[in-house]
Amino acid sequence: MSAMVIGKLLGLVFKVQLMRIIGEVGNGYYTMAYTLFTPIYTFTVIGLPATVARMIASYTAQGRFHDIRKLKVISTKLFRFLGLLSFLVIAGFAWVFTNVFMNTPPAFLSVLLIAPVALLGIMSAVYRGYFEGMRNMTPTAMSEIIEIVIKLIFSLGLAYLVYQMGVREFNLSGTLFGQAIESSERLEIQLAQYTTAAAIVGVAISTMGGLLFLWLTYRIKGDGITREELVNSPPAARTPFIFNKLIKYAIPISLGSLILNASSVIDLVTVYNRIEHALNVGYDRIMNSYGSYIPADIRVDELPNFFFGVYGMVLLLGSLIPDFVRMIGKSALINIAAVWAEGDKYNLKRKIEAVTRLTAFLAMPAGVGLFVLANPILSLLFPGMAGGVAIAAPVLEIFSVSVIFMSLVIPLFNVFQAIGRADLPLKFMALGASLKLICNFILVGIPQINLKGAPIGTILCYFIILILCFTAIRNIVKIKLDYIGTLIKPAVAAISCGFAAKLVLGAMENAALNRLIPILISVLTAVIIYAVSLIILRAISSDDIISLPKGEIISKTLAKYKIIRYNGKN
């Protein structure tokens, strides 16, 4: 888990530094490349490995180790085929997508060059699913760290190199790669398409590095299955049977993964076009609101991409907490599946409450913190992009609310997958995504609302889904959760820490301090208030501590002094 956290933090560092190099316009191209890439990648890389992991966990419990080995062979061939198909679809559709659908020709190179990332990423996914099914999370975590380190070196390095080449040529001849440029402001805008494309080349190199590490790990260390286990294992089922079972489980989970990410996909697909519409019908109104924040030399036809890049700043910070939560849900999936298979309703209830409560402990203060510190955090991360920050900050404040609902939904979806009801997330997200699509189409296209309409739609989407999830757990799983201990107490503690952060930040507003100091003091104060609030409310249970190293001893000690509630052994 710690390695995964390190990987996510390094990923944030990469994205922030990249955005500083490529700017709002370049980030628009970068985000557009992921508009085509994300649905394909999500369907394969998120859904299929989860299916492989679930099948392996089931086979392990049954002692069917020959089936595990055969599943590895079958899934490898399937993933290679899907990777090649994804590469061909993205590469073949890149020109039509950028020139016809999005009307942004400068994004073509970025979209084209992201095709190899899909191929290599999908090939890596089979190893990750295999190792995770064997309850070995280390190779996945290490490969992600290797990828991000290579990305930091090559992606940022190539983007910076291309940027310097462009600036040097302009200073010498007033041109950029042979094309005359009117001013240094236009240079920044024109150069963005090339720096972004160079960065995506670095992403492809890093994905190849991650794949190579996973392949070498498997070749050198194997999968941990012993000779004795193979000898005592029954013969493997026939290949068509395993393949059909893989597809049967994979389709609903993959579709569920796609629809689980439908909110971000809908944002990527609709925000650009609806902002373009808002500019067409209310250009003067938008310019009265944002004109002073927009680069002077940007053309009218480039404005949608500029706003798209600004919204990418919001998505960068808004997606950070849900990404961490996915790690919690993924690790809980196998444990919940085992308890469900045993028919142990008591421990099933405890584990569902524990993973939901742990998610609330993380997501609620983070969402409140983003709301309170949106402008200071954006200003700290992007000091040279004051215009983009001024536009993004109020949008991030709204988006911060959706972060809480989005995060809480993720482990509940994992619960449904673990008990064999992967159809429920699919149905719930279909409804939520439909509402999100309608909201985006209507609200983002209104000039007075513009970008703020997207996070409003996200809030509505995930709030409805969260209610449906809890209803299904009560009516279908036949479990009544403790909502006061699981949700209400963490929410009260989070609101308390938010007020504390706001008061401290306001008190230092006029102080002549480095931009980082007020944020650090506000966050530190909020953390202390949050921890004290949780203890006063007795919101922490032994189930939240017991999975930690020496967790049983720690939980008994804390319970002895009435700091937490002790529920006994799992």
Side-chain angles (χ1 to χ4, degrees):
M1 180 68 77
S2 59
M4 291 185 180
V5 171
I6 292 171
K8 295 298 180 184
L9 292 176
L10 288 175
L12 176 63
V13 171
F14 162 72
K15 291 174 183 176
V16 169
Q17 292 300 325
L18 177 62
M19 206 173 295
R20 288 179 174 184
I21 297 173
I22 64 179
E24 296 97 334
V25 174
N27 192 49
Y29 300 143
Y30 190 83
T31 306
M32 194 172 294
Y34 278 88
T35 303
L36 186 58
F37 171 85
T38 298
I40 296 172
Y41 195 74
T42 299
F43 182 82
T44 52
V45 170
I46 296 180
L48 288 171
T51 308
V52 172
R54 178 188 170 190
M55 290 179 65
I56 289 175
S58 175
Y59 285 144
T60 301
Q62 300 170 42
R64 301 189 66 88
F65 296 100
H66 286 297
D67 292 85
I68 293 175
R69 290 281 177 87
K70 181 170 281 191
L71 175 62
K72 168 65 171 57
V73 175
I74 294 169
S75 57
T76 299
K77 292 178 180 178
L78 175 62
F79 278 53
R80 284 174 183 168
F81 169 76
L82 292 174
L84 181 59
L85 181 63
S86 300
F87 171 84
L88 294 174
V89 168
I90 294 173
F93 197 56
W95 189 92
V96 174
F97 176 73
T98 53
N99 286 267
V100 178
F101 285 90
M102 305 302 286
N103 193 29
T104 311
F108 168 69
L109 271 178
S110 298
V111 176
L112 178 66
L113 291 171
I114 208 168
V117 180
L119 171 62
L120 297 168
I122 292 170
M123 290 174 64
S124 299
V126 66
Y127 289 102
R128 288 174 175 155
Y130 190 74
F131 284 124
E132 288 167 17
M134 301 299 295
R135 300 195 180 191
N136 182 5
M137 308 297 286
T138 301
T140 295
M142 291 303 299
S143 69
E144 290 178 353
I145 291 178
I146 288 170
E147 279 190 29
I148 194 61
V149 169
I150 296 174
K151 200 182 294 183
L152 282 166
I153 297 170
F154 283 92
S155 192
L156 294 181
L158 288 172
Y160 184 75
L161 177 63
V162 170
Y163 178 84
Q164 290 298 323
M165 289 172 58
V167 170
R168 189 180 300 111
E169 181 181 336
F170 175 77
N171 290 335
L172 290 173
S173 61
T175 61
L176 174 63
F177 303 132
Q179 180 184 356
I181 302 296
E182 301 90 343
S183 65
S184 57
E185 289 79 11
R186 280 303 303 170
L187 172 69
E188 295 288 334
I189 296 169
Q190 292 288 97
L191 189 53
Q193 62 181 302
Y194 301 108
T195 54
T196 305
I200 290 176
V201 171
V203 173
I205 294 171
S206 71
T207 309
M208 183 181 296
L211 172 61
L212 182 61
F213 170 81
L214 290 167
W215 180 79
L216 287 173
T217 300
Y218 181 77
R219 296 290 297 179
I220 294 171
K221 295 187 176 181
D223 53 18
I225 298 175
T226 64
R227 182 179 296 277
E228 182 181 356
E229 287 172 331
L230 288 172
V231 169
N232 295 324
S233 170
R238 296 180 61 192
T239 297
F241 176 81
I242 295 177
F243 178 79
N244 290 337
K245 189 175 182 180
L246 174 63
I247 297 299
K248 177 184 176 182
Y249 288 148
I251 289 177
I253 292 179
S254 294
L255 287 173
S257 299
L258 179 61
I259 298 182
L260 176 61
N261 290 271
S263 176
S264 58
V265 172
I266 289 170
D267 278 340
L268 293 173
V269 172
T270 61
V271 167
Y272 184 96
N273 291 316
R274 296 311 292 164
I275 278 291
E276 189 174 37
H277 171 78
L279 285 163
N280 289 336
V281 301
Y283 175 81
D284 292 337
R285 186 167 292 166
I286 290 179
M287 293 307 291
N288 287 337
S289 300
Y290 301 130
S292 59
Y293 305 136
I294 296 173
D297 280 18
I298 197 166
R299 297 195 304 260
V300 174
D301 64 320
E302 294 170 334
L303 283 174
N305 185 67
F306 172 82
F307 281 104
F308 198 43
V310 168
Y311 191 64
M313 297 165 67
V314 175
L315 293 179
L316 168 62
L317 293 179
S319 63
L320 184 63
I321 299 305
D323 283 345
F324 278 107
V325 170
R326 282 190 180 90
M327 294 187 292
I328 297 172
K330 187 183 290 185
S331 61
L333 187 151
I334 295 173
N335 292 328
I336 291 174
V339 173
W340 173 261
E342 294 167 1
D344 187 348
K345 281 290 185 73
Y346 173 72
N347 271 319
L348 179 64
K349 177 179 184 293
R350 285 179 59 186
K351 288 187 179 296
I352 293 175
E353 286 180 344
V355 71
T356 305
R357 189 167 48 247
L358 184 58
T359 301
F361 286 160
L362 176 64
M364 287 183 176
V368 172
L370 275 182
F371 180 84
V372 173
L373 302 172
N375 195 294
I377 290 174
L378 286 169
S379 299
L380 176 67
L381 295 178
F382 309 109
M385 301 164 64
V389 167
I391 298 171
V395 182
L396 180 59
E397 289 176 358
I398 301 171
F399 197 93
S400 65
V401 180
S402 71
V403 166
I404 297 172
F405 297 137
M406 192 186 311
S407 299
L408 288 170
V409 162
I410 291 170
L412 296 177
F413 276 12
N414 288 125
V415 168
F416 293 129
Q417 291 175 5
I419 66 173
R421 289 304 306 270
D423 61 303
L424 293 178
L426 181 61
K427 294 171 182 175
F428 297 162
M429 276 303 308
L431 175 60
S434 299
L435 295 173
K436 165 72 174 169
L437 181 61
I438 293 169
C439 284
N440 271 28
F441 189 83
I442 296 173
L443 297 180
V444 179
I446 298 174
Q448 300 94 314
I449 300 176
N450 53 79
L451 287 179
K452 299 183 187 74
I456 291 172
T458 306
I459 292 172
L460 178 61
C461 168
Y462 282 100
F463 177 75
I464 295 297
I465 292 168
L466 186 61
I467 298 300
L468 291 171
C469 285
F470 284 133
T471 302
I473 287 175
R474 185 182 68 243
N475 296 337
I476 298 175
V477 187
K478 304 298 182 183
I479 287 177
K480 187 177 180 181
L481 300 178
D482 173 18
Y483 295 110
I484 293 177
T486 303
L487 298 177
I488 303 301
K489 289 182 179 181
V492 172
I495 292 170
S496 301
C497 80
F499 275 117
K502 184 69 174 178
L503 288 173
V504 172
L505 192 66
M508 295 186 294
E509 188 173 5
N510 297 319
L513 296 171
N514 181 282
R515 191 176 283 161
L516 177 62
I517 302 301
I519 296 176
L520 287 178
I521 295 175
S522 299
V523 171
L524 180 60
T525 303
V527 169
I528 293 171
I529 296 297
Y530 184 62
V532 171
S533 299
L534 289 177
I535 292 172
I536 292 173
L537 294 167
R538 298 204 69 195
I540 305 173
S541 164
S542 62
D543 290 337
D544 308 318
I545 306 294
I546 211 159
S547 60
L548 301 174
K550 305 291 184 181
E552 185 75 26
I553 297 173
I554 295 171
S555 63
K556 285 182 178 179
T557 304
L558 295 176
K560 180 180 178 181
Y561 294 99
K562 298 183 179 181
I563 295 175
I564 67 170
R565 293 174 285 111
Y566 183 67
N567 294 334
K569 285 181 176 292
N570 280 317

